[in-house]
Amino acid sequence: MEVFIWIVISLLFIGSFIGVIVPVIPDALLLWIGFLLYQFALATTSLGWTFWVPMTLLTLLLIGADLLSNIYFVKKYGGDKWSMLAAVAGIILGPLVLGAFLGPLAIIVGPFLSVFLVELVRSNGAEKSLRIAFGTVLAFLGSAAAKIVIQLIMVIWFFFAI
């Protein structure tokens, strides 16, 4: 049974990394389910506050990475709240609409196209619309990189803590 639980924990951790590029998969939640599964099913002693407090702070940083990255890059490239809303819509709808044609690239192309079209309709011109759309792609890539690093820290910390 112990081996089965470790397999489930490993799959949860892997799923959390997949969640970085597939936004419908709750990356932080999967990590926490893995931590809690270990704590309540396998641990002989509590992980303690030196584990739980940093994991809570890192989780907040993990969640904030998306927001901070989007705000920074979209504003840097001239976008506003409409650009951010279009990017979120593109992240959700891109894989659904374009996924059959583009596969995993739909997660990048969806937000790019949605922001570009929204900005073009708002009469920002093709050049400015492209610049803002490019900013959303950078936001996604920057956020993904930050989340991968934070999640790696969390998983490594977990294995050192047990």
Side-chain angles (χ1 to χ4, degrees):
M1 187 64 167
E2 186 175 330
V3 171
F4 174 74
I5 293 172
W6 275 113
I7 290 171
V8 171
I9 290 170
S10 298
L11 291 173
L12 287 165
F13 289 171
I14 291 168
S16 75
F17 285 100
I18 293 170
V20 169
I21 56 170
V22 180
V24 295
I25 298 174
D27 47 11
L29 180 61
L30 293 179
L31 282 174
W32 274 84
I33 292 171
F35 298 156
L36 293 170
L37 183 59
Y38 170 80
Q39 181 66 52
F40 293 113
L42 296 175
T44 55
T45 61
S46 176
L47 286 169
W49 71 269
T50 58
F51 176 77
W52 295 112
V53 170
M55 288 307 109
T56 301
L57 296 174
L58 286 169
T59 300
L60 293 173
L61 186 60
L62 184 65
I63 294 167
D66 273 336
L67 296 171
L68 296 174
S69 181
N70 273 312
I71 289 169
Y72 174 76
F73 281 105
V74 170
K75 292 226 183 244
K76 179 179 179 178
Y77 286 88
D80 58 11
K81 67 178 179 178
W82 293 107
S83 306
M84 287 186 248
L85 290 172
V88 170
I91 287 171
I92 295 168
L93 296 175
L96 296 174
V97 176
L98 302 170
F101 307 107
L102 299 175
L105 283 177
I107 195 70
I108 294 173
V109 174
F112 179 86
L113 284 176
S114 64
V115 170
F116 176 73
L117 293 173
V118 163
E119 292 299 327
L120 200 58
V121 167
R122 294 179 66 214
S123 301
N124 280 325
E127 187 178 324
K128 183 176 181 186
S129 298
L130 273 173
R131 186 170 22 105
I132 296 168
F134 180 70
T136 63
V137 171
L138 287 178
F140 175 77
L141 295 174
S143 171
K147 289 172 76 171
I148 287 171
V149 169
I150 294 166
Q151 285 182 228
L152 276 172
I153 291 168
M154 292 172 79
V155 170
I156 291 168
W157 196 315
F158 168 76
F159 283 110
F160 276 112
I162 61 173

